[in-house]
């Protein structure tokens, strides 16, 4: 894949792109503290079949330094990337916070989204969240600072992944950050979601995926309720935790292939 970048007054966002003759472009949006390597198994599986675009989200990986990370700003950088590549519409594959970016982008540019494939993410409408939920989202920065950096990274890797290979990959991605960077990024990612909460009316196809061992916050509960209230298909990934696409790529790739055939 070819490495490229776009720049704004906030910083440079790095991405990788592979073009084919397919009418569909798959855009992979990794979760908080992860980078483009989170989707290595999906890029490998779908290379040559579809046009692919993957990034290091603003303030992540090679897309640093970056000033003033918010989900709308991330969506704006993504819009600039699609413009630069001449991509009119795309399928957004968002894992965790990458799903927040996908929804923020859909809110701003619904006509540019052919579908959303959400892995371990959460809905935007405020009716899903209690006051207690929002309180704890605001506490992340000081809570994470209580732990030595090595212990914090290992705990995060164990929480995110259930298989040794996926845990090793998560540890590799986390090792790129200092403790201050990691704690600040977690705070911006969690507390920064609160201003985004609002009613959404998603009209494009949307599939929900959650690892059966995903114990990250209330992700499982939110997705079950999202499915019940709005009817979006929900798929539970066997043997997977939060990074379900990395834990169990064969299951997730099969579902992604089926999803793409519906578009």
């Amino acid at each position: 894949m070819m490495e490229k970048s776009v720049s704004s007054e906030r910083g440079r966002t790095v991405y990788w792109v592979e073009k084919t003759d397919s009418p569909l472009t798959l855009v992979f949006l990794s979760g908080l503290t992860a980078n483009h390597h989170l989707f290595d198994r999906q890029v490998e599986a779908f290379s040559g079949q579809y046009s692919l675009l993957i990034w290091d989200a603003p303030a992540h990986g090679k897309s640093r330094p970056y000033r003033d990370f918010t989900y709308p700003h991330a969506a704006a950088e993504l819009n600039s990337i699609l413009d630069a590549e001449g991509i009119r519409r795309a399928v957004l594959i968002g894992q965790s916070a990458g799903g927040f970016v996908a929804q923020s982008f859909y809110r701003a540019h619904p006509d540019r989204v052919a579908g959303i494939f959400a892995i371990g993410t959460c809905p935007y409408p405020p009716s899903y969240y209690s006051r207690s939920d929002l309180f704890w989202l605001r506490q992340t920065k000081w809570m994470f600072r209580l732990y030595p950096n090595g212990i914090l990274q290992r705990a995060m890797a164990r929480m995110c992944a259930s298989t040794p290979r996926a845990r090793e990959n998560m540890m590799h991605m986390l090792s790129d950050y200092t403790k201050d960077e990691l704690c600040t990024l977690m705070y911006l990612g969690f507390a920064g979601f609160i201003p985004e909460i609002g009613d959404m009316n998603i009209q494009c196809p949307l599939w929900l995926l959650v690892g059966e061992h995903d114990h990250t916050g209330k992700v499982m509960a939110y997705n079950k309720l999202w499915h019940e209230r709005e009817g979006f298909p929900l798929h539970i990934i066997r043997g997977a935790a939060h990074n379900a696409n990395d834990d169990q790529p064969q299951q997730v790739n099969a579902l992604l292939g089926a999803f793409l055939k519906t578009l």
Side-chain angles (χ1 to χ4, degrees):
M1 300 184 77
M2 183 176 296
E3 180 178 323
K4 297 184 179 183
S5 66
V6 295
S7 295
S8 69
E9 66 275 12
R10 295 175 292 273
R12 188 172 74 108
T13 301
V14 179
Y15 66 96
W16 292 259
V17 64
E18 175 185 291
K19 296 287 186 69
T20 69
D21 293 333
S22 170
L24 289 180
T25 297
L26 314 187
V27 176
F28 295 95
L29 305 169
S30 49
L32 199 63
T33 73
N35 59 37
H36 65 285
H37 289 297
L38 180 67
F39 285 108
D40 282 350
R41 296 303 180 94
Q42 284 66 55
V43 169
E44 178 184 347
F46 291 95
S47 178
Q49 300 180 54
Y50 301 96
S51 294
L52 307 178
L53 193 152
I54 189 167
W55 72 354
D56 280 354
H60 293 69
K62 287 190 173 184
S63 300
R64 294 178 294 163
Y66 187 87
R67 181 175 57 84
D68 195 17
F69 172 85
T70 67
Y71 291 108
H73 286 165
E77 308 296 359
L78 178 57
N79 194 54
S80 295
I81 290 171
L82 297 186
D83 284 345
E85 294 299 324
I87 299 169
R88 189 179 68 83
R89 297 178 79 226
V91 181
L92 306 183
I93 299 100
Q95 189 273 339
S96 193
F100 298 162
V101 175
Q103 291 176 82
S104 186
F105 184 84
Y106 181 86
R107 176 183 282 170
H109 308 284
D111 57 315
R112 303 198 77 168
V113 181
I116 299 175
F117 192 78
I119 306 167
T121 193
C122 299
Y124 266 31
S127 60
Y128 289 91
Y129 302 98
S130 67
R131 290 184 180 180
S132 175
D133 293 340
L134 302 181
F135 171 82
W136 287 111
L137 285 175
R138 295 187 177 97
Q139 310 310 309
T140 49
K141 192 171 186 177
W142 71 264
M143 289 171 60
F144 285 115
R145 287 193 182 280
L146 296 175
Y147 298 91
N149 198 35
I151 293 176
L152 176 61
Q153 291 183 5
R154 288 192 294 274
M156 290 175 64
R158 286 194 302 270
M159 177 66 73
C160 288
S162 64
T163 62
R165 185 198 54 77
R167 285 181 177 176
E168 182 180 353
N169 190 31
M170 191 63 190
M171 276 295 296
H172 178 73
M173 292 186 284
L174 289 168
S175 67
D176 198 34
Y177 303 100
T178 65
K179 182 179 178 180
D180 183 66
E181 283 181 312
L182 194 57
C183 292
T184 300
L185 193 55
M186 294 295 283
Y187 173 75
L188 293 173
F190 286 124
F193 175 60
I194 296 173
E196 281 294 281
I197 292 173
D199 290 329
M200 291 278 286
N201 183 22
I202 298 177
Q203 296 296 312
C204 71
L206 169 59
W207 280 19
L208 309 175
L209 279 70
V210 184
E212 68 170 335
H213 303 305
D214 191 338
H215 303 302
T216 307
K218 295 169 65 176
V219 168
M220 179 68 79
Y222 291 143
N223 274 266
K224 287 182 176 179
L225 194 57
W226 200 358
H227 163 68
E228 290 169 7
R229 287 183 178 179
E230 303 188 41
F232 298 123
L234 172 62
H235 303 272
I236 306 300
I237 307 304
R238 300 182 309 277
H242 193 52
N243 294 359
N245 61 291
D246 206 14
D247 271 331
Q248 300 295 336
Q250 288 186 331
Q251 290 181 56
V252 173
N253 292 349
L255 286 167
L256 178 54
F259 177 69
L260 296 173
K261 289 178 181 177
T262 70
L263 303 182

